[in-house]
Amino acid sequence: MKKRLSRVVRQAHVLFAAEHFSRRVALYFHDLVPEYVGAFRDAVATFLELGYATVDPSEYAQDASDASRKLFVSFDDNYRSWFEALEIFDDLGIQCTFYVNTCPFRDVASRSTIDAYFDRIRYTGDRTPLSRSELRAISDAGHNIGCHTHTHFRLSGLPKEKWFEEIDSCKALLEDIVGHGVSDFSFPFGMRRHFSAPLRRYCRDLGFRTIATAIPAQLYAPHVDPFFIHRTGWKFDRPYTENLQNLKLDARMFGAAFGRSAIG
Ligand SMILES: [Zn+2]
């Protein structure tokens, strides 16, 4: 969507923003470089102070009949900065979920593979991915590890023969590293048009318990499909207040009609 149109769509939703946050708030981030650590702390602390507790994907997806306030903090892709932030997570007392691409582990991948990976996700910051032992340390610290495919291709554009190497192999590699089952998935790019009903069946048959999307402003949806977790991205380059406001928007109708983000 064009930038100006995006702003107009977002503003239209702001007019009808909810007064209070939903009882379940699912966020996603990407890298966590030092300059954004303060903003990350502020984002998470806002919800902790309101009585939210961080949960893993299964707990988040459970029936909404209980009145507890749940915060799902997740990260996508593959960045060494996650490992460097372990003390920060510890200090905040939060459990996070990391959806990991397995092709760029830096103790295995060549520089050209790593660069092709970061080109694909258009990341121009510090291009240092995790090593496998750093991922194991993140898992050992009590965080949850999920699958984000092997190479971060758009799954809806791939022939079915490629699903195995993108999804099954990512899952198997992660399970080998962390030493236990991996049963949560987030698909690359995260919008409805990047996934499909056959892919959903495939993932379910493979044993995934939850699938996280990047479809924002769906937090007020009634709890009808515990398989999907709709997450809203926190944008470090945008003001804190704008990010908080995004979490009070309800773009279910817009998202269903246009398959695109209502918050730009
Ligand atoms: Zn991604």
PDB file of all heavy atoms in Angstrom, residues 223-257:
ATOM      1  N   HIS A 223     -12.307 -15.346  20.451  1.00  0.00           N
ATOM      2  CA  HIS A 223     -11.300 -16.403  20.416  1.00  0.00           C
ATOM      3  C   HIS A 223     -11.835 -17.611  19.659  1.00  0.00           C
ATOM      4  O   HIS A 223     -12.303 -18.555  20.253  1.00  0.00           O
ATOM      5  CB  HIS A 223     -10.941 -16.756  21.843  1.00  0.00           C
ATOM      6  CG  HIS A 223      -9.636 -17.447  21.954  1.00  0.00           C
ATOM      7  ND1 HIS A 223      -8.489 -16.886  21.453  1.00  0.00           N
ATOM      8  CD2 HIS A 223      -9.297 -18.630  22.488  1.00  0.00           C
ATOM      9  CE1 HIS A 223      -7.484 -17.712  21.690  1.00  0.00           C
ATOM     10  NE2 HIS A 223      -7.950 -18.777  22.316  1.00  0.00           N
ATOM     11  N   VAL A 224     -11.801 -17.582  18.342  1.00  0.00           N
ATOM     12  CA  VAL A 224     -12.421 -18.656  17.582  1.00  0.00           C
ATOM     13  C   VAL A 224     -11.441 -19.688  17.053  1.00  0.00           C
ATOM     14  O   VAL A 224     -11.785 -20.845  16.890  1.00  0.00           O
ATOM     15  CB  VAL A 224     -13.263 -18.114  16.401  1.00  0.00           C
ATOM     16  CG1 VAL A 224     -14.542 -17.478  16.927  1.00  0.00           C
ATOM     17  CG2 VAL A 224     -12.476 -17.112  15.579  1.00  0.00           C
ATOM     18  N   ASP A 225     -10.213 -19.292  16.765  1.00  0.00           N
ATOM     19  CA  ASP A 225      -9.274 -20.241  16.171  1.00  0.00           C
ATOM     20  C   ASP A 225      -7.977 -20.270  16.978  1.00  0.00           C
ATOM     21  O   ASP A 225      -7.090 -19.449  16.774  1.00  0.00           O
ATOM     22  CB  ASP A 225      -8.971 -19.846  14.725  1.00  0.00           C
ATOM     23  CG  ASP A 225      -8.164 -20.911  14.006  1.00  0.00           C
ATOM     24  OD1 ASP A 225      -7.642 -21.823  14.697  1.00  0.00           O
ATOM     25  OD2 ASP A 225      -8.060 -20.838  12.779  1.00  0.00           O
ATOM     26  N   PRO A 226      -7.884 -21.207  17.928  1.00  0.00           N
ATOM     27  CA  PRO A 226      -6.712 -21.221  18.802  1.00  0.00           C
ATOM     28  C   PRO A 226      -5.421 -21.630  18.077  1.00  0.00           C
ATOM     29  O   PRO A 226      -4.355 -21.618  18.668  1.00  0.00           O
ATOM     30  CB  PRO A 226      -7.079 -22.250  19.881  1.00  0.00           C
ATOM     31  CG  PRO A 226      -8.117 -23.095  19.260  1.00  0.00           C
ATOM     32  CD  PRO A 226      -8.844 -22.247  18.260  1.00  0.00           C
ATOM     33  N   PHE A 227      -5.545 -21.984  16.800  1.00  0.00           N
ATOM     34  CA  PHE A 227      -4.349 -22.388  16.057  1.00  0.00           C
ATOM     35  C   PHE A 227      -3.532 -21.163  15.636  1.00  0.00           C
ATOM     36  O   PHE A 227      -2.309 -21.216  15.567  1.00  0.00           O
ATOM     37  CB  PHE A 227      -4.789 -23.191  14.828  1.00  0.00           C
ATOM     38  CG  PHE A 227      -3.695 -23.963  14.163  1.00  0.00           C
ATOM     39  CD1 PHE A 227      -2.796 -24.725  14.894  1.00  0.00           C
ATOM     40  CD2 PHE A 227      -3.564 -23.947  12.777  1.00  0.00           C
ATOM     41  CE1 PHE A 227      -1.788 -25.460  14.274  1.00  0.00           C
ATOM     42  CE2 PHE A 227      -2.562 -24.675  12.147  1.00  0.00           C
ATOM     43  CZ  PHE A 227      -1.675 -25.423  12.889  1.00  0.00           C
ATOM     44  N   PHE A 228      -4.197 -20.036  15.389  1.00  0.00           N
ATOM     45  CA  PHE A 228      -3.511 -18.837  14.910  1.00  0.00           C
ATOM     46  C   PHE A 228      -3.325 -17.807  16.018  1.00  0.00           C
ATOM     47  O   PHE A 228      -4.232 -17.540  16.797  1.00  0.00           O
ATOM     48  CB  PHE A 228      -4.286 -18.190  13.762  1.00  0.00           C
ATOM     49  CG  PHE A 228      -4.058 -18.875  12.437  1.00  0.00           C
ATOM     50  CD1 PHE A 228      -5.037 -19.661  11.875  1.00  0.00           C
ATOM     51  CD2 PHE A 228      -2.846 -18.734  11.766  1.00  0.00           C
ATOM     52  CE1 PHE A 228      -4.818 -20.306  10.662  1.00  0.00           C
ATOM     53  CE2 PHE A 228      -2.628 -19.371  10.548  1.00  0.00           C
ATOM     54  CZ  PHE A 228      -3.616 -20.155  10.000  1.00  0.00           C
ATOM     55  N   ILE A 229      -2.138 -17.225  16.042  1.00  0.00           N
ATOM     56  CA  ILE A 229      -1.854 -16.116  16.951  1.00  0.00           C
ATOM     57  C   ILE A 229      -1.581 -14.890  16.080  1.00  0.00           C
ATOM     58  O   ILE A 229      -0.606 -14.871  15.327  1.00  0.00           O
ATOM     59  CB  ILE A 229      -0.623 -16.426  17.826  1.00  0.00           C
ATOM     60  CG1 ILE A 229      -0.886 -17.626  18.731  1.00  0.00           C
ATOM     61  CG2 ILE A 229      -0.232 -15.198  18.638  1.00  0.00           C
ATOM     62  CD1 ILE A 229       0.333 -18.061  19.551  1.00  0.00           C
ATOM     63  N   HIS A 230      -2.451 -13.895  16.151  1.00  0.00           N
ATOM     64  CA  HIS A 230      -2.247 -12.682  15.358  1.00  0.00           C
ATOM     65  C   HIS A 230      -1.447 -11.675  16.177  1.00  0.00           C
ATOM     66  O   HIS A 230      -1.888 -11.234  17.239  1.00  0.00           O
ATOM     67  CB  HIS A 230      -3.586 -12.085  14.942  1.00  0.00           C
ATOM     68  CG  HIS A 230      -4.367 -12.973  14.021  1.00  0.00           C
ATOM     69  ND1 HIS A 230      -3.829 -13.503  12.864  1.00  0.00           N
ATOM     70  CD2 HIS A 230      -5.630 -13.445  14.091  1.00  0.00           C
ATOM     71  CE1 HIS A 230      -4.733 -14.248  12.256  1.00  0.00           C
ATOM     72  NE2 HIS A 230      -5.832 -14.249  12.988  1.00  0.00           N
ATOM     73  N   ARG A 231      -0.299 -11.346  15.646  1.00  0.00           N
ATOM     74  CA  ARG A 231       0.599 -10.459  16.382  1.00  0.00           C
ATOM     75  C   ARG A 231       0.675  -9.076  15.722  1.00  0.00           C
ATOM     76  O   ARG A 231       0.612  -8.966  14.501  1.00  0.00           O
ATOM     77  CB  ARG A 231       2.015 -11.055  16.416  1.00  0.00           C
ATOM     78  CG  ARG A 231       2.076 -12.463  16.978  1.00  0.00           C
ATOM     79  CD  ARG A 231       3.474 -13.048  16.764  1.00  0.00           C
ATOM     80  NE  ARG A 231       3.800 -13.161  15.350  1.00  0.00           N
ATOM     81  CZ  ARG A 231       5.018 -13.367  14.878  1.00  0.00           C
ATOM     82  NH1 ARG A 231       6.044 -13.457  15.713  1.00  0.00           N
ATOM     83  NH2 ARG A 231       5.230 -13.475  13.582  1.00  0.00           N
ATOM     84  N   THR A 232       0.859  -8.078  16.534  1.00  0.00           N
ATOM     85  CA  THR A 232       1.081  -6.725  16.017  1.00  0.00           C
ATOM     86  C   THR A 232       2.548  -6.377  16.197  1.00  0.00           C
ATOM     87  O   THR A 232       3.117  -6.605  17.262  1.00  0.00           O
ATOM     88  CB  THR A 232       0.180  -5.716  16.775  1.00  0.00           C
ATOM     89  OG1 THR A 232      -1.190  -6.053  16.529  1.00  0.00           O
ATOM     90  CG2 THR A 232       0.431  -4.289  16.301  1.00  0.00           C
ATOM     91  N   GLY A 233       3.163  -5.851  15.150  1.00  0.00           N
ATOM     92  CA  GLY A 233       4.586  -5.501  15.222  1.00  0.00           C
ATOM     93  C   GLY A 233       4.793  -4.219  16.011  1.00  0.00           C
ATOM     94  O   GLY A 233       4.023  -3.273  15.884  1.00  0.00           O
ATOM     95  N   TRP A 234       5.837  -4.218  16.835  1.00  0.00           N
ATOM     96  CA  TRP A 234       6.226  -2.994  17.542  1.00  0.00           C
ATOM     97  C   TRP A 234       7.330  -2.361  16.717  1.00  0.00           C
ATOM     98  O   TRP A 234       8.338  -2.987  16.446  1.00  0.00           O
ATOM     99  CB  TRP A 234       6.741  -3.316  18.949  1.00  0.00           C
ATOM    100  CG  TRP A 234       6.947  -2.074  19.767  1.00  0.00           C
ATOM    101  CD1 TRP A 234       8.020  -1.216  19.717  1.00  0.00           C
ATOM    102  CD2 TRP A 234       6.051  -1.530  20.739  1.00  0.00           C
ATOM    103  NE1 TRP A 234       7.846  -0.180  20.588  1.00  0.00           N
ATOM    104  CE2 TRP A 234       6.643  -0.346  21.233  1.00  0.00           C
ATOM    105  CE3 TRP A 234       4.813  -1.925  21.238  1.00  0.00           C
ATOM    106  CZ2 TRP A 234       6.035   0.444  22.220  1.00  0.00           C
ATOM    107  CZ3 TRP A 234       4.201  -1.144  22.219  1.00  0.00           C
ATOM    108  CH2 TRP A 234       4.814   0.027  22.700  1.00  0.00           C
ATOM    109  N   LYS A 235       7.114  -1.102  16.307  1.00  0.00           N
ATOM    110  CA  LYS A 235       8.055  -0.434  15.413  1.00  0.00           C
ATOM    111  C   LYS A 235       8.931   0.538  16.202  1.00  0.00           C
ATOM    112  O   LYS A 235       8.457   1.579  16.636  1.00  0.00           O
ATOM    113  CB  LYS A 235       7.287   0.292  14.319  1.00  0.00           C
ATOM    114  CG  LYS A 235       6.472  -0.677  13.475  1.00  0.00           C
ATOM    115  CD  LYS A 235       5.542   0.051  12.528  1.00  0.00           C
ATOM    116  CE  LYS A 235       4.730  -0.977  11.754  1.00  0.00           C
ATOM    117  NZ  LYS A 235       3.730  -0.361  10.896  1.00  0.00           N
ATOM    118  N   PHE A 236      10.207   0.177  16.338  1.00  0.00           N
ATOM    119  CA  PHE A 236      11.112   1.022  17.125  1.00  0.00           C
ATOM    120  C   PHE A 236      11.330   2.389  16.480  1.00  0.00           C
ATOM    121  O   PHE A 236      11.698   3.334  17.163  1.00  0.00           O
ATOM    122  CB  PHE A 236      12.459   0.319  17.300  1.00  0.00           C
ATOM    123  CG  PHE A 236      12.420  -0.858  18.236  1.00  0.00           C
ATOM    124  CD1 PHE A 236      12.982  -2.071  17.868  1.00  0.00           C
ATOM    125  CD2 PHE A 236      11.844  -0.751  19.500  1.00  0.00           C
ATOM    126  CE1 PHE A 236      12.965  -3.159  18.734  1.00  0.00           C
ATOM    127  CE2 PHE A 236      11.827  -1.829  20.377  1.00  0.00           C
ATOM    128  CZ  PHE A 236      12.385  -3.030  19.986  1.00  0.00           C
ATOM    129  N   ASP A 237      11.115   2.488  15.184  1.00  0.00           N
ATOM    130  CA  ASP A 237      11.329   3.790  14.528  1.00  0.00           C
ATOM    131  C   ASP A 237      10.093   4.691  14.613  1.00  0.00           C
ATOM    132  O   ASP A 237      10.061   5.776  14.066  1.00  0.00           O
ATOM    133  CB  ASP A 237      11.762   3.606  13.066  1.00  0.00           C
ATOM    134  CG  ASP A 237      10.716   2.872  12.241  1.00  0.00           C
ATOM    135  OD1 ASP A 237       9.800   2.256  12.839  1.00  0.00           O
ATOM    136  OD2 ASP A 237      10.798   2.919  10.997  1.00  0.00           O
ATOM    137  N   ARG A 238       9.056   4.208  15.299  1.00  0.00           N
ATOM    138  CA  ARG A 238       7.858   5.024  15.494  1.00  0.00           C
ATOM    139  C   ARG A 238       7.722   5.358  16.983  1.00  0.00           C
ATOM    140  O   ARG A 238       8.229   4.630  17.833  1.00  0.00           O
ATOM    141  CB  ARG A 238       6.590   4.290  15.031  1.00  0.00           C
ATOM    142  CG  ARG A 238       6.617   3.793  13.588  1.00  0.00           C
ATOM    143  CD  ARG A 238       6.798   4.914  12.590  1.00  0.00           C
ATOM    144  NE  ARG A 238       5.820   5.975  12.785  1.00  0.00           N
ATOM    145  CZ  ARG A 238       5.922   7.184  12.222  1.00  0.00           C
ATOM    146  NH1 ARG A 238       6.946   7.468  11.460  1.00  0.00           N
ATOM    147  NH2 ARG A 238       4.997   8.095  12.451  1.00  0.00           N
ATOM    148  N   PRO A 239       7.018   6.452  17.301  1.00  0.00           N
ATOM    149  CA  PRO A 239       6.899   6.848  18.716  1.00  0.00           C
ATOM    150  C   PRO A 239       6.173   5.781  19.555  1.00  0.00           C
ATOM    151  O   PRO A 239       5.306   5.059  19.050  1.00  0.00           O
ATOM    152  CB  PRO A 239       6.066   8.130  18.663  1.00  0.00           C
ATOM    153  CG  PRO A 239       6.175   8.623  17.251  1.00  0.00           C
ATOM    154  CD  PRO A 239       6.391   7.414  16.394  1.00  0.00           C
ATOM    155  N   TYR A 240       6.549   5.754  20.814  1.00  0.00           N
ATOM    156  CA  TYR A 240       5.937   4.848  21.799  1.00  0.00           C
ATOM    157  C   TYR A 240       4.411   4.958  21.776  1.00  0.00           C
ATOM    158  O   TYR A 240       3.691   3.957  21.741  1.00  0.00           O
ATOM    159  CB  TYR A 240       6.514   5.235  23.167  1.00  0.00           C
ATOM    160  CG  TYR A 240       5.856   4.642  24.379  1.00  0.00           C
ATOM    161  CD1 TYR A 240       6.166   3.338  24.788  1.00  0.00           C
ATOM    162  CD2 TYR A 240       4.970   5.404  25.161  1.00  0.00           C
ATOM    163  CE1 TYR A 240       5.575   2.812  25.929  1.00  0.00           C
ATOM    164  CE2 TYR A 240       4.397   4.880  26.298  1.00  0.00           C
ATOM    165  CZ  TYR A 240       4.698   3.581  26.680  1.00  0.00           C
ATOM    166  OH  TYR A 240       4.126   3.068  27.808  1.00  0.00           O
ATOM    167  N   THR A 241       3.898   6.205  21.777  1.00  0.00           N
ATOM    168  CA  THR A 241       2.444   6.398  21.842  1.00  0.00           C
ATOM    169  C   THR A 241       1.749   5.829  20.605  1.00  0.00           C
ATOM    170  O   THR A 241       0.663   5.269  20.703  1.00  0.00           O
ATOM    171  CB  THR A 241       2.099   7.899  21.969  1.00  0.00           C
ATOM    172  OG1 THR A 241       2.880   8.610  21.008  1.00  0.00           O
ATOM    173  CG2 THR A 241       2.393   8.425  23.355  1.00  0.00           C
ATOM    174  N   GLU A 242       2.398   5.967  19.455  1.00  0.00           N
ATOM    175  CA  GLU A 242       1.795   5.427  18.226  1.00  0.00           C
ATOM    176  C   GLU A 242       1.745   3.895  18.289  1.00  0.00           C
ATOM    177  O   GLU A 242       0.744   3.278  17.900  1.00  0.00           O
ATOM    178  CB  GLU A 242       2.595   5.870  16.999  1.00  0.00           C
ATOM    179  CG  GLU A 242       2.000   5.362  15.698  1.00  0.00           C
ATOM    180  CD  GLU A 242       2.792   5.803  14.476  1.00  0.00           C
ATOM    181  OE1 GLU A 242       3.155   6.988  14.379  1.00  0.00           O
ATOM    182  OE2 GLU A 242       3.069   4.929  13.619  1.00  0.00           O
ATOM    183  N   ASN A 243       2.805   3.298  18.810  1.00  0.00           N
ATOM    184  CA  ASN A 243       2.821   1.838  18.951  1.00  0.00           C
ATOM    185  C   ASN A 243       1.726   1.364  19.899  1.00  0.00           C
ATOM    186  O   ASN A 243       1.030   0.384  19.616  1.00  0.00           O
ATOM    187  CB  ASN A 243       4.188   1.374  19.447  1.00  0.00           C
ATOM    188  CG  ASN A 243       5.193   1.208  18.322  1.00  0.00           C
ATOM    189  OD1 ASN A 243       5.035   0.335  17.473  1.00  0.00           O
ATOM    190  ND2 ASN A 243       6.205   2.053  18.296  1.00  0.00           N
ATOM    191  N   LEU A 244       1.575   2.079  21.015  1.00  0.00           N
ATOM    192  CA  LEU A 244       0.525   1.685  21.960  1.00  0.00           C
ATOM    193  C   LEU A 244      -0.856   1.836  21.329  1.00  0.00           C
ATOM    194  O   LEU A 244      -1.732   0.984  21.499  1.00  0.00           O
ATOM    195  CB  LEU A 244       0.604   2.528  23.231  1.00  0.00           C
ATOM    196  CG  LEU A 244       1.725   2.194  24.206  1.00  0.00           C
ATOM    197  CD1 LEU A 244       1.531   2.987  25.500  1.00  0.00           C
ATOM    198  CD2 LEU A 244       1.795   0.707  24.528  1.00  0.00           C
ATOM    199  N   GLN A 245      -1.012   2.913  20.575  1.00  0.00           N
ATOM    200  CA  GLN A 245      -2.308   3.140  19.937  1.00  0.00           C
ATOM    201  C   GLN A 245      -2.613   2.025  18.919  1.00  0.00           C
ATOM    202  O   GLN A 245      -3.757   1.582  18.810  1.00  0.00           O
ATOM    203  CB  GLN A 245      -2.310   4.502  19.253  1.00  0.00           C
ATOM    204  CG  GLN A 245      -3.694   4.951  18.853  1.00  0.00           C
ATOM    205  CD  GLN A 245      -3.677   6.386  18.382  1.00  0.00           C
ATOM    206  OE1 GLN A 245      -2.827   6.774  17.589  1.00  0.00           O
ATOM    207  NE2 GLN A 245      -4.593   7.177  18.880  1.00  0.00           N
ATOM    208  N   ASN A 246      -1.583   1.578  18.210  1.00  0.00           N
ATOM    209  CA  ASN A 246      -1.795   0.481  17.250  1.00  0.00           C
ATOM    210  C   ASN A 246      -2.423  -0.735  17.918  1.00  0.00           C
ATOM    211  O   ASN A 246      -3.180  -1.480  17.296  1.00  0.00           O
ATOM    212  CB  ASN A 246      -0.466   0.060  16.608  1.00  0.00           C
ATOM    213  CG  ASN A 246      -0.010   1.053  15.557  1.00  0.00           C
ATOM    214  OD1 ASN A 246      -0.803   1.838  15.050  1.00  0.00           O
ATOM    215  ND2 ASN A 246       1.268   1.010  15.232  1.00  0.00           N
ATOM    216  N   LEU A 247      -2.083  -0.933  19.195  1.00  0.00           N
ATOM    217  CA  LEU A 247      -2.590  -2.112  19.902  1.00  0.00           C
ATOM    218  C   LEU A 247      -4.040  -1.935  20.347  1.00  0.00           C
ATOM    219  O   LEU A 247      -4.668  -2.886  20.803  1.00  0.00           O
ATOM    220  CB  LEU A 247      -1.698  -2.409  21.113  1.00  0.00           C
ATOM    221  CG  LEU A 247      -0.279  -2.840  20.729  1.00  0.00           C
ATOM    222  CD1 LEU A 247       0.637  -2.792  21.929  1.00  0.00           C
ATOM    223  CD2 LEU A 247      -0.291  -4.234  20.118  1.00  0.00           C
ATOM    224  N   LYS A 248      -4.556  -0.724  20.201  1.00  0.00           N
ATOM    225  CA  LYS A 248      -5.966  -0.490  20.548  1.00  0.00           C
ATOM    226  C   LYS A 248      -6.855  -0.402  19.318  1.00  0.00           C
ATOM    227  O   LYS A 248      -8.038  -0.132  19.420  1.00  0.00           O
ATOM    228  CB  LYS A 248      -6.098   0.794  21.369  1.00  0.00           C
ATOM    229  CG  LYS A 248      -5.524   0.654  22.781  1.00  0.00           C
ATOM    230  CD  LYS A 248      -5.760   1.928  23.576  1.00  0.00           C
ATOM    231  CE  LYS A 248      -5.293   1.758  25.012  1.00  0.00           C
ATOM    232  NZ  LYS A 248      -5.359   3.011  25.756  1.00  0.00           N
ATOM    233  N   LEU A 249      -6.262  -0.611  18.157  1.00  0.00           N
ATOM    234  CA  LEU A 249      -7.048  -0.545  16.923  1.00  0.00           C
ATOM    235  C   LEU A 249      -7.664  -1.912  16.636  1.00  0.00           C
ATOM    236  O   LEU A 249      -7.120  -2.949  17.004  1.00  0.00           O
ATOM    237  CB  LEU A 249      -6.167  -0.131  15.738  1.00  0.00           C
ATOM    238  CG  LEU A 249      -5.393   1.171  15.897  1.00  0.00           C
ATOM    239  CD1 LEU A 249      -4.659   1.506  14.604  1.00  0.00           C
ATOM    240  CD2 LEU A 249      -6.303   2.308  16.303  1.00  0.00           C
ATOM    241  N   ASP A 250      -8.792  -1.867  15.973  1.00  0.00           N
ATOM    242  CA  ASP A 250      -9.453  -3.111  15.590  1.00  0.00           C
ATOM    243  C   ASP A 250      -9.647  -3.093  14.073  1.00  0.00           C
ATOM    244  O   ASP A 250     -10.539  -2.434  13.551  1.00  0.00           O
ATOM    245  CB  ASP A 250     -10.800  -3.223  16.305  1.00  0.00           C
ATOM    246  CG  ASP A 250     -11.476  -4.567  16.036  1.00  0.00           C
ATOM    247  OD1 ASP A 250     -10.985  -5.314  15.156  1.00  0.00           O
ATOM    248  OD2 ASP A 250     -12.476  -4.855  16.695  1.00  0.00           O
ATOM    249  N   ALA A 251      -8.796  -3.797  13.365  1.00  0.00           N
ATOM    250  CA  ALA A 251      -8.827  -3.769  11.899  1.00  0.00           C
ATOM    251  C   ALA A 251      -9.317  -5.085  11.334  1.00  0.00           C
ATOM    252  O   ALA A 251      -8.928  -5.474  10.243  1.00  0.00           O
ATOM    253  CB  ALA A 251      -7.435  -3.444  11.372  1.00  0.00           C
ATOM    254  N   ARG A 252     -10.166  -5.782  12.093  1.00  0.00           N
ATOM    255  CA  ARG A 252     -10.613  -7.097  11.616  1.00  0.00           C
ATOM    256  C   ARG A 252     -11.317  -7.001  10.270  1.00  0.00           C
ATOM    257  O   ARG A 252     -11.063  -7.791   9.371  1.00  0.00           O
ATOM    258  CB  ARG A 252     -11.541  -7.745  12.647  1.00  0.00           C
ATOM    259  CG  ARG A 252     -10.768  -8.456  13.740  1.00  0.00           C
ATOM    260  CD  ARG A 252     -11.704  -9.031  14.752  1.00  0.00           C
ATOM    261  NE  ARG A 252     -12.197  -8.006  15.647  1.00  0.00           N
ATOM    262  CZ  ARG A 252     -13.315  -8.118  16.365  1.00  0.00           C
ATOM    263  NH1 ARG A 252     -14.059  -9.192  16.256  1.00  0.00           N
ATOM    264  NH2 ARG A 252     -13.687  -7.169  17.182  1.00  0.00           N
ATOM    265  N   MET A 253     -12.217  -6.024  10.127  1.00  0.00           N
ATOM    266  CA  MET A 253     -12.960  -5.919   8.868  1.00  0.00           C
ATOM    267  C   MET A 253     -12.034  -5.544   7.725  1.00  0.00           C
ATOM    268  O   MET A 253     -12.083  -6.124   6.647  1.00  0.00           O
ATOM    269  CB  MET A 253     -14.093  -4.893   8.998  1.00  0.00           C
ATOM    270  CG  MET A 253     -15.341  -5.520   9.583  1.00  0.00           C
ATOM    271  SD  MET A 253     -16.534  -4.316  10.149  1.00  0.00           S
ATOM    272  CE  MET A 253     -16.880  -3.424   8.668  1.00  0.00           C
ATOM    273  N   PHE A 254     -11.157  -4.588   7.982  1.00  0.00           N
ATOM    274  CA  PHE A 254     -10.244  -4.158   6.926  1.00  0.00           C
ATOM    275  C   PHE A 254      -9.315  -5.298   6.507  1.00  0.00           C
ATOM    276  O   PHE A 254      -9.109  -5.564   5.331  1.00  0.00           O
ATOM    277  CB  PHE A 254      -9.410  -2.954   7.407  1.00  0.00           C
ATOM    278  CG  PHE A 254      -8.512  -2.401   6.348  1.00  0.00           C
ATOM    279  CD1 PHE A 254      -8.988  -1.500   5.413  1.00  0.00           C
ATOM    280  CD2 PHE A 254      -7.184  -2.806   6.249  1.00  0.00           C
ATOM    281  CE1 PHE A 254      -8.165  -1.009   4.413  1.00  0.00           C
ATOM    282  CE2 PHE A 254      -6.356  -2.324   5.249  1.00  0.00           C
ATOM    283  CZ  PHE A 254      -6.852  -1.418   4.335  1.00  0.00           C
ATOM    284  N   GLY A 255      -8.779  -5.993   7.515  1.00  0.00           N
ATOM    285  CA  GLY A 255      -7.852  -7.099   7.235  1.00  0.00           C
ATOM    286  C   GLY A 255      -8.518  -8.200   6.452  1.00  0.00           C
ATOM    287  O   GLY A 255      -7.965  -8.733   5.493  1.00  0.00           O
ATOM    288  N   ALA A 256      -9.750  -8.541   6.822  1.00  0.00           N
ATOM    289  CA  ALA A 256     -10.464  -9.615   6.143  1.00  0.00           C
ATOM    290  C   ALA A 256     -10.812  -9.203   4.705  1.00  0.00           C
ATOM    291  O   ALA A 256     -10.758 -10.009   3.779  1.00  0.00           O
ATOM    292  CB  ALA A 256     -11.738  -9.980   6.908  1.00  0.00           C
ATOM    293  N   ALA A 257     -11.138  -7.921   4.511  1.00  0.00           N
ATOM    294  CA  ALA A 257     -11.553  -7.471   3.186  1.00  0.00           C
ATOM    295  C   ALA A 257     -10.372  -7.292   2.231  1.00  0.00           C
ATOM    296  O   ALA A 257     -10.464  -7.640   1.059  1.00  0.00           O
ATOM    297  CB  ALA A 257     -12.332  -6.153   3.312  1.00  0.00           C
TER     298      ALA A 257
END
